[in-house]
Amino acid sequence: MSVITTERHDDVLVIISNNPPVNALGQAVRQGLADGIEEALGDDSVKAVVIRCDGRTFFAGADITEFGKPPQGPGLGDVLDTIEASDKPVVAAIHGTALGGGCEVALACHYRVAVPSAKLGLPEVKLGLIPGAAGTQRLPRVVGAEAALPMVVVGNPIAASKAQAIGLVDAIVGEESLAEEAVAFARAQTDKPVPRSSEGTANRDGVENPAIFDEFRAKHGRKLRGFDAPAAGIEAVKAAGEMSYEDGVKKERELFMGLMGGTQSAAMRHYFFAERAANKIEGIARDIELLPIRKVGVIGAGTMGGGISMNFLSAGIPVTILEMEQEALDRGTGVMRANYERTAKRGRMTAEQVEQAMGLLTPTLDYDDLADCDLVIEAVFENMDVKKEVFAKLDSVVKQGALLASNTSYLNVDEIATATKRPEAVLGLHFFSPANVMKLLEVVRGEKTADQVLATAMKLAKKIGKIAVVAGVCDGFIGNRMLSPRQGQANALIMEGANYWEVDEVLLDFGFPMGPFQMSDLAGLDIGWHRDPTRIESIRDALCAMDRRGQKTGAGFYDYDEARQRTPSDDVKKLIADFAEKQGVEQRDISKEEIRERLLYPMVNEGALILEEGMAQRASDIDVVWINGYGWPLYTGGPMFWADTIGLDTVVAGLEKHKERLGENFRLSQLLKDKAEKGERFN
Ligand code: T1G
């Protein structure tokens, strides 16, 4: 079955793509479009053309799987030029998501009609690219530079109604009558001169008011820090106002090829597929029957329990939340309502939606109210005895067939399961704080967790908007297990004389949102502190004893001004030196290069050990965890892809060089060593 077919509707030729799952513009589709347009232009009885797609969406972009391979003609840009050059009106009939090259196809058409639920966008920047088929030149000529900038540089799609408001869509048609209304629309244009996007003049706004580019940079600078593509996107949109269309297309091509050849785009394309691969559980059929989740129970109405509950309430799933005391229960539900109301204040929810969500919440002090839940998640104190007590209680109260999950961040899920008579129903659901905001969810597969239970949890995660990764039962699962060696090295480095602010700077420069000592000050240095100022067993004890407990006391590792701007403290530098001397640790100057190697290489090694032990299904899952849970910079692809990029032999050599300082528990991964020796990659 050809991916492109044509249909005659009297004097209108309809070109239809059927290339599941998302009508990606692979070679056969491009060729089919070119053939379809040729057929239309070569037949005098054809007066107008419609281009539409079967399946769930209009073209969702170039076929990303073709990237990095030798290009196959016809090029999308050439096909689009042929479409635009037609003297017969060509109408794009849009449903689903017209993205990337798909939006560029629509722009090359003379008109665009869309159903109300359709979205249009140029998300190439999320792949470390910019549009490569004249999108950066046609779009500003149709909607203006100011409206084009966010679409090209931030890359979020816009709704059909917004697209119509800015002139990108000409008509909104019935949700169920796109095909016929598009034909009628096309027929109604036959006796008019065709409007060509490349001849549009809306881009004049960027010439008359060039300040819009700097204003845009200023507004979005922080979020786009470290990424190459956004700057290229701004340059391309600017060129649309300053250059001829032909020269602008050349400029776009030059910028596009520069990005395509760079490491950032390879990393971000890797991540695109990695995020989707994480959903797949090796060895479990994708069509396994899932358990129904109609009602969720959450135990604990603290920060985690409340945040976890909000995920389900926001997805329309009723939650029964249990606490031991009425006061704690009221406080917890009050915090949830306050969180929703804050979101509504920012315009991201309506007041009705707040009431709808809170209306699905049933607070209780009685375990028996959890009996008919399909899933119960405990988010109680991180203590094994407490967890076991809770699970024993759940085992006696909750109906058979329910999932019993722990939100533990490091306790042994298999041991928790022994407190029940149904270990096959037990798993870990490790949410990251704040649980209603952070996308990452580590789904911890116990030794006895049933396939159906695991698959149900993974599907449910997607429904509540989480990015779920399957983790095995080990200390810290995937994320925290790799955080541990980095934290250990950070502490060792400052004892050995590294400036703690330089440790933070190395990670900030690498692209992390924050370094370990900034994080400690933010969280509070007195978490878990024994509160005895005379007992100084660590640098944190010493700081707490000096009442330097972090941002909340105006000083921790750093001094903070009223705006919470941080300044390194000589007193703290001296405090660390004195403490090191007492511990008999000799201090020395330590370079930022050594700091970076000792912070990051042991993480890669730990990731390799996780793979060796089967605690993660694949290396790319580890990348997904660290990008979504800990702010590893997306434009490097995650720890394992980054290691591939710099070379596993470089990582091994670095670990060998520092091995005396990596701590007595350090163990070089055999998998990492073998791959390095064979010149292989993780991904
Ligand atoms: N190419 C190849 N495969 C794609 C694809 C694409 N563009 N988009 C999706 N897939 C696969 C995906 O890997 C998954 O496969 C399946 O389709 C379903 O996707 C020239 C250069 C459209 C919003 O960036 O945003 O055009 O896992 O699970 O959640 O200027 O897919 O089933 O085997 O994501 O319903 C620009 C990327 C490309 C859009 C649907 N376009 N796709 O989301 O399903 S560059 C994009 C998406 C470009 C031009 C430039 C989403 C979606 P599998 P899914 P979904």
Side-chain angles (χ1 to χ4, degrees), residues 543-577:
L543 289 166
C544 288
M546 291 171 66
D547 213 22
R548 295 182 73 103
R549 301 183 192 185
Q551 283 194 22
K552 60 188 173 189
T553 57
F557 278 96
Y558 297 91
D559 293 326
Y560 294 90
D561 64 18
E562 302 69 51
R564 296 211 164 192
Q565 291 304 308
R566 70 182 187 283
T567 310
S569 154
D570 290 339
D571 294 348
V572 171
K573 176 72 182 166
K574 186 173 178 319
L575 174 151
I576 295 169

mmCIF file of all heavy atoms in Angstrom, residues 543-577:
data_model
loop_
_atom_site.group_PDB
_atom_site.id
_atom_site.type_symbol
_atom_site.label_atom_id
_atom_site.label_comp_id
_atom_site.label_asym_id
_atom_site.label_seq_id
_atom_site.Cartn_x
_atom_site.Cartn_y
_atom_site.Cartn_z
ATOM 1 N N LEU A 543 29.254 23.744 60.430
ATOM 2 C CA LEU A 543 28.486 24.892 59.925
ATOM 3 C C LEU A 543 27.220 25.098 60.748
ATOM 4 O O LEU A 543 26.898 26.199 61.171
ATOM 5 C CB LEU A 543 28.131 24.670 58.449
ATOM 6 C CG LEU A 543 29.297 24.761 57.463
ATOM 7 C CD1 LEU A 543 28.902 24.203 56.098
ATOM 8 C CD2 LEU A 543 29.757 26.210 57.328
ATOM 9 N N CYS A 544 26.524 23.994 61.053
ATOM 10 C CA CYS A 544 25.285 24.116 61.851
ATOM 11 C C CYS A 544 25.616 24.668 63.232
ATOM 12 O O CYS A 544 24.882 25.492 63.769
ATOM 13 C CB CYS A 544 24.598 22.757 61.980
ATOM 14 S SG CYS A 544 23.840 22.233 60.435
ATOM 15 N N ALA A 545 26.741 24.226 63.773
ATOM 16 C CA ALA A 545 27.149 24.694 65.123
ATOM 17 C C ALA A 545 27.377 26.203 65.098
ATOM 18 O O ALA A 545 27.170 26.897 66.081
ATOM 19 C CB ALA A 545 28.408 23.966 65.560
ATOM 20 N N MET A 546 27.770 26.733 63.904
ATOM 21 C CA MET A 546 27.976 28.189 63.780
ATOM 22 C C MET A 546 26.690 28.879 63.342
ATOM 23 O O MET A 546 26.693 30.004 62.885
ATOM 24 C CB MET A 546 29.066 28.455 62.727
ATOM 25 C CG MET A 546 30.454 28.041 63.119
ATOM 26 S SD MET A 546 31.546 28.188 61.682
ATOM 27 C CE MET A 546 31.530 29.977 61.415
ATOM 28 N N ASP A 547 25.595 28.119 63.376
ATOM 29 C CA ASP A 547 24.290 28.617 62.964
ATOM 30 C C ASP A 547 24.262 28.991 61.481
ATOM 31 O O ASP A 547 23.438 29.783 61.039
ATOM 32 C CB ASP A 547 23.864 29.816 63.811
ATOM 33 C CG ASP A 547 22.330 29.803 63.983
ATOM 34 O OD1 ASP A 547 21.771 28.688 63.819
ATOM 35 O OD2 ASP A 547 21.731 30.847 64.208
ATOM 36 N N ARG A 548 25.183 28.402 60.733
ATOM 37 C CA ARG A 548 25.161 28.600 59.280
ATOM 38 C C ARG A 548 24.410 27.409 58.698
ATOM 39 O O ARG A 548 24.989 26.398 58.332
ATOM 40 C CB ARG A 548 26.584 28.671 58.709
ATOM 41 C CG ARG A 548 27.402 29.863 59.170
ATOM 42 C CD ARG A 548 28.767 29.869 58.502
ATOM 43 N NE ARG A 548 28.663 30.251 57.098
ATOM 44 C CZ ARG A 548 28.982 31.462 56.625
ATOM 45 N NH1 ARG A 548 29.417 32.395 57.453
ATOM 46 N NH2 ARG A 548 28.873 31.739 55.347
ATOM 47 N N ARG A 549 23.047 27.533 58.681
ATOM 48 C CA ARG A 549 22.248 26.354 58.329
ATOM 49 C C ARG A 549 21.695 26.421 56.911
ATOM 50 O O ARG A 549 20.836 25.654 56.527
ATOM 51 C CB ARG A 549 21.111 26.179 59.337
ATOM 52 C CG ARG A 549 21.676 26.030 60.742
ATOM 53 C CD ARG A 549 20.635 25.791 61.773
ATOM 54 N NE ARG A 549 21.205 25.937 63.117
ATOM 55 C CZ ARG A 549 20.499 25.676 64.196
ATOM 56 N NH1 ARG A 549 19.251 25.297 64.088
ATOM 57 N NH2 ARG A 549 21.043 25.814 65.380
ATOM 58 N N GLY A 550 22.156 27.405 56.162
ATOM 59 C CA GLY A 550 21.734 27.474 54.764
ATOM 60 C C GLY A 550 21.014 28.777 54.473
ATOM 61 O O GLY A 550 21.048 29.723 55.272
ATOM 62 N N GLN A 551 20.350 28.816 53.322
ATOM 63 C CA GLN A 551 19.692 30.054 52.900
ATOM 64 C C GLN A 551 18.745 30.556 53.990
ATOM 65 O O GLN A 551 18.623 31.737 54.228
ATOM 66 C CB GLN A 551 18.907 29.807 51.609
ATOM 67 C CG GLN A 551 19.772 29.737 50.367
ATOM 68 C CD GLN A 551 18.945 29.829 49.092
ATOM 69 O OE1 GLN A 551 17.829 30.331 49.119
ATOM 70 N NE2 GLN A 551 19.497 29.353 47.984
ATOM 71 N N LYS A 552 18.073 29.625 54.675
ATOM 72 C CA LYS A 552 17.040 30.054 55.640
ATOM 73 C C LYS A 552 17.629 30.840 56.804
ATOM 74 O O LYS A 552 16.927 31.604 57.456
ATOM 75 C CB LYS A 552 16.266 28.842 56.162
ATOM 76 C CG LYS A 552 17.114 27.815 56.875
ATOM 77 C CD LYS A 552 16.289 26.562 57.183
ATOM 78 C CE LYS A 552 17.174 25.443 57.738
ATOM 79 N NZ LYS A 552 16.444 24.179 57.842
ATOM 80 N N THR A 553 18.946 30.684 57.052
ATOM 81 C CA THR A 553 19.559 31.502 58.125
ATOM 82 C C THR A 553 20.471 32.560 57.508
ATOM 83 O O THR A 553 21.299 33.137 58.193
ATOM 84 C CB THR A 553 20.418 30.609 59.049
ATOM 85 O OG1 THR A 553 21.410 29.951 58.231
ATOM 86 C CG2 THR A 553 19.560 29.582 59.772
ATOM 87 N N GLY A 554 20.362 32.761 56.201
ATOM 88 C CA GLY A 554 21.149 33.808 55.542
ATOM 89 C C GLY A 554 22.586 33.425 55.330
ATOM 90 O O GLY A 554 23.385 34.186 54.791
ATOM 91 N N ALA A 555 22.953 32.221 55.778
ATOM 92 C CA ALA A 555 24.345 31.784 55.573
ATOM 93 C C ALA A 555 24.422 30.272 55.735
ATOM 94 O O ALA A 555 23.762 29.701 56.620
ATOM 95 C CB ALA A 555 25.265 32.440 56.574
ATOM 96 N N GLY A 556 25.188 29.692 54.859
ATOM 97 C CA GLY A 556 25.461 28.241 54.971
ATOM 98 C C GLY A 556 26.875 28.084 54.463
ATOM 99 O O GLY A 556 27.790 28.714 54.996
ATOM 100 N N PHE A 557 27.060 27.353 53.387
ATOM 101 C CA PHE A 557 28.368 27.364 52.729
ATOM 102 C C PHE A 557 28.642 28.778 52.213
ATOM 103 O O PHE A 557 29.750 29.291 52.266
ATOM 104 C CB PHE A 557 28.388 26.362 51.576
ATOM 105 C CG PHE A 557 28.640 24.947 52.005
ATOM 106 C CD1 PHE A 557 27.599 24.068 52.212
ATOM 107 C CD2 PHE A 557 29.938 24.521 52.253
ATOM 108 C CE1 PHE A 557 27.836 22.757 52.620
ATOM 109 C CE2 PHE A 557 30.189 23.209 52.670
ATOM 110 C CZ PHE A 557 29.131 22.332 52.851
ATOM 111 N N TYR A 558 27.576 29.406 51.719
ATOM 112 C CA TYR A 558 27.695 30.769 51.181
ATOM 113 C C TYR A 558 27.061 31.789 52.126
ATOM 114 O O TYR A 558 26.229 31.410 52.955
ATOM 115 C CB TYR A 558 26.973 30.869 49.832
ATOM 116 C CG TYR A 558 27.547 30.001 48.727
ATOM 117 C CD1 TYR A 558 27.072 28.705 48.506
ATOM 118 C CD2 TYR A 558 28.562 30.466 47.904
ATOM 119 C CE1 TYR A 558 27.603 27.904 47.505
ATOM 120 C CE2 TYR A 558 29.093 29.675 46.894
ATOM 121 C CZ TYR A 558 28.612 28.392 46.697
ATOM 122 O OH TYR A 558 29.149 27.602 45.701
ATOM 123 N N ASP A 559 27.435 33.062 51.962
ATOM 124 C CA ASP A 559 26.687 34.149 52.606
ATOM 125 C C ASP A 559 25.618 34.596 51.620
ATOM 126 O O ASP A 559 25.881 34.642 50.417
ATOM 127 C CB ASP A 559 27.628 35.336 52.906
ATOM 128 C CG ASP A 559 28.655 34.952 53.976
ATOM 129 O OD1 ASP A 559 28.286 34.147 54.875
ATOM 130 O OD2 ASP A 559 29.815 35.377 53.870
ATOM 131 N N TYR A 560 24.426 34.926 52.106
ATOM 132 C CA TYR A 560 23.334 35.329 51.214
ATOM 133 C C TYR A 560 22.859 36.739 51.543
ATOM 134 O O TYR A 560 22.726 37.080 52.719
ATOM 135 C CB TYR A 560 22.167 34.337 51.344
ATOM 136 C CG TYR A 560 22.517 32.959 50.833
ATOM 137 C CD1 TYR A 560 23.064 31.997 51.676
ATOM 138 C CD2 TYR A 560 22.364 32.630 49.487
ATOM 139 C CE1 TYR A 560 23.437 30.734 51.195
ATOM 140 C CE2 TYR A 560 22.726 31.372 49.002
ATOM 141 C CZ TYR A 560 23.269 30.437 49.868
ATOM 142 O OH TYR A 560 23.645 29.197 49.390
ATOM 143 N N ASP A 561 22.594 37.531 50.478
ATOM 144 C CA ASP A 561 22.007 38.865 50.737
ATOM 145 C C ASP A 561 20.491 38.722 50.716
ATOM 146 O O ASP A 561 19.970 37.622 50.559
ATOM 147 C CB ASP A 561 22.515 39.876 49.679
ATOM 148 C CG ASP A 561 22.037 39.487 48.265
ATOM 149 O OD1 ASP A 561 21.078 38.688 48.167
ATOM 150 O OD2 ASP A 561 22.643 39.969 47.299
ATOM 151 N N GLU A 562 19.785 39.881 50.861
ATOM 152 C CA GLU A 562 18.317 39.816 50.952
ATOM 153 C C GLU A 562 17.713 39.154 49.702
ATOM 154 O O GLU A 562 16.681 38.502 49.770
ATOM 155 C CB GLU A 562 17.707 41.213 51.094
ATOM 156 C CG GLU A 562 18.193 42.033 52.298
ATOM 157 C CD GLU A 562 19.638 42.452 52.136
ATOM 158 O OE1 GLU A 562 19.994 43.009 51.071
ATOM 159 O OE2 GLU A 562 20.443 42.149 53.042
ATOM 160 N N ALA A 563 18.395 39.330 48.584
ATOM 161 C CA ALA A 563 17.837 38.744 47.343
ATOM 162 C C ALA A 563 18.302 37.303 47.192
ATOM 163 O O ALA A 563 18.170 36.697 46.139
ATOM 164 C CB ALA A 563 18.295 39.566 46.140
ATOM 165 N N ARG A 564 18.884 36.769 48.243
ATOM 166 C CA ARG A 564 19.381 35.385 48.264
ATOM 167 C C ARG A 564 20.473 35.165 47.216
ATOM 168 O O ARG A 564 20.682 34.051 46.734
ATOM 169 C CB ARG A 564 18.225 34.384 48.033
ATOM 170 C CG ARG A 564 17.194 34.423 49.161
ATOM 171 C CD ARG A 564 16.527 33.089 49.393
ATOM 172 N NE ARG A 564 15.841 33.037 50.693
ATOM 173 C CZ ARG A 564 15.367 31.912 51.238
ATOM 174 N NH1 ARG A 564 15.520 30.780 50.602
ATOM 175 N NH2 ARG A 564 14.763 31.932 52.410
ATOM 176 N N GLN A 565 21.180 36.257 46.875
ATOM 177 C CA GLN A 565 22.370 36.106 46.020
ATOM 178 C C GLN A 565 23.500 35.584 46.887
ATOM 179 O O GLN A 565 23.692 36.078 47.997
ATOM 180 C CB GLN A 565 22.750 37.468 45.414
ATOM 181 C CG GLN A 565 21.738 37.979 44.374
ATOM 182 C CD GLN A 565 21.522 36.983 43.238
ATOM 183 O OE1 GLN A 565 22.464 36.516 42.611
ATOM 184 N NE2 GLN A 565 20.254 36.607 43.021
ATOM 185 N N ARG A 566 24.270 34.617 46.371
ATOM 186 C CA ARG A 566 25.256 33.972 47.226
ATOM 187 C C ARG A 566 26.655 34.544 47.007
ATOM 188 O O ARG A 566 26.965 35.009 45.906
ATOM 189 C CB ARG A 566 25.280 32.478 46.937
ATOM 190 C CG ARG A 566 25.864 32.112 45.584
ATOM 191 C CD ARG A 566 25.828 30.607 45.316
ATOM 192 N NE ARG A 566 26.536 30.277 44.081
ATOM 193 C CZ ARG A 566 26.041 30.462 42.867
ATOM 194 N NH1 ARG A 566 24.824 30.992 42.729
ATOM 195 N NH2 ARG A 566 26.730 30.151 41.787
ATOM 196 N N THR A 567 27.457 34.543 48.085
ATOM 197 C CA THR A 567 28.873 34.956 48.014
ATOM 198 C C THR A 567 29.697 33.918 48.780
ATOM 199 O O THR A 567 29.331 33.554 49.903
ATOM 200 C CB THR A 567 29.061 36.332 48.700
ATOM 201 O OG1 THR A 567 28.098 37.228 48.184
ATOM 202 C CG2 THR A 567 30.461 36.857 48.474
ATOM 203 N N PRO A 568 30.791 33.425 48.163
ATOM 204 C CA PRO A 568 31.651 32.484 48.896
ATOM 205 C C PRO A 568 32.155 33.137 50.187
ATOM 206 O O PRO A 568 32.376 34.332 50.235
ATOM 207 C CB PRO A 568 32.798 32.211 47.932
ATOM 208 C CG PRO A 568 32.255 32.533 46.587
ATOM 209 C CD PRO A 568 31.278 33.639 46.798
ATOM 210 N N SER A 569 32.338 32.326 51.225
ATOM 211 C CA SER A 569 32.748 32.863 52.529
ATOM 212 C C SER A 569 34.160 32.393 52.873
ATOM 213 O O SER A 569 34.433 31.180 52.873
ATOM 214 C CB SER A 569 31.771 32.358 53.600
ATOM 215 O OG SER A 569 32.415 32.331 54.858
ATOM 216 N N ASP A 570 35.057 33.343 53.198
ATOM 217 C CA ASP A 570 36.410 32.969 53.622
ATOM 218 C C ASP A 570 36.362 32.205 54.941
ATOM 219 O O ASP A 570 37.150 31.301 55.183
ATOM 220 C CB ASP A 570 37.274 34.229 53.768
ATOM 221 C CG ASP A 570 37.559 34.841 52.396
ATOM 222 O OD1 ASP A 570 37.444 34.088 51.392
ATOM 223 O OD2 ASP A 570 37.840 36.047 52.319
ATOM 224 N N ASP A 571 35.386 32.595 55.790
ATOM 225 C CA ASP A 571 35.276 31.887 57.079
ATOM 226 C C ASP A 571 35.008 30.402 56.840
ATOM 227 O O ASP A 571 35.569 29.535 57.514
ATOM 228 C CB ASP A 571 34.105 32.455 57.910
ATOM 229 C CG ASP A 571 34.371 33.897 58.321
ATOM 230 O OD1 ASP A 571 35.546 34.332 58.156
ATOM 231 O OD2 ASP A 571 33.439 34.586 58.763
ATOM 232 N N VAL A 572 34.143 30.149 55.878
ATOM 233 C CA VAL A 572 33.798 28.731 55.628
ATOM 234 C C VAL A 572 35.008 28.026 55.024
ATOM 235 O O VAL A 572 35.308 26.878 55.363
ATOM 236 C CB VAL A 572 32.564 28.630 54.704
ATOM 237 C CG1 VAL A 572 32.319 27.198 54.257
ATOM 238 C CG2 VAL A 572 31.332 29.188 55.416
ATOM 239 N N LYS A 573 35.694 28.713 54.125
ATOM 240 C CA LYS A 573 36.899 28.113 53.517
ATOM 241 C C LYS A 573 37.869 27.733 54.637
ATOM 242 O O LYS A 573 38.408 26.618 54.658
ATOM 243 C CB LYS A 573 37.539 29.128 52.561
ATOM 244 C CG LYS A 573 38.848 28.690 51.930
ATOM 245 C CD LYS A 573 38.686 27.621 50.883
ATOM 246 C CE LYS A 573 40.049 27.181 50.324
ATOM 247 N NZ LYS A 573 39.954 25.918 49.549
ATOM 248 N N LYS A 574 38.010 28.625 55.628
ATOM 249 C CA LYS A 574 38.954 28.365 56.746
ATOM 250 C C LYS A 574 38.415 27.223 57.628
ATOM 251 O O LYS A 574 39.154 26.332 58.046
ATOM 252 C CB LYS A 574 39.144 29.632 57.581
ATOM 253 C CG LYS A 574 40.199 29.485 58.657
ATOM 254 C CD LYS A 574 40.506 30.766 59.377
ATOM 255 C CE LYS A 574 41.543 30.522 60.498
ATOM 256 N NZ LYS A 574 41.276 29.246 61.253
ATOM 257 N N LEU A 575 37.089 27.250 57.855
ATOM 258 C CA LEU A 575 36.467 26.195 58.675
ATOM 259 C C LEU A 575 36.752 24.822 58.069
ATOM 260 O O LEU A 575 37.117 23.868 58.756
ATOM 261 C CB LEU A 575 34.959 26.454 58.724
ATOM 262 C CG LEU A 575 34.047 25.434 59.403
ATOM 263 C CD1 LEU A 575 32.810 26.131 59.980
ATOM 264 C CD2 LEU A 575 33.573 24.344 58.442
ATOM 265 N N ILE A 576 36.647 24.735 56.763
ATOM 266 C CA ILE A 576 36.897 23.458 56.083
ATOM 267 C C ILE A 576 38.368 23.070 56.225
ATOM 268 O O ILE A 576 38.694 21.933 56.550
ATOM 269 C CB ILE A 576 36.487 23.560 54.593
ATOM 270 C CG1 ILE A 576 34.978 23.777 54.458
ATOM 271 C CG2 ILE A 576 36.910 22.308 53.828
ATOM 272 C CD1 ILE A 576 34.514 24.145 53.059
ATOM 273 N N ALA A 577 39.253 24.064 56.055
ATOM 274 C CA ALA A 577 40.706 23.783 56.155
ATOM 275 C C ALA A 577 41.041 23.283 57.557
ATOM 276 O O ALA A 577 41.772 22.300 57.739
ATOM 277 C CB ALA A 577 41.487 25.043 55.816
#
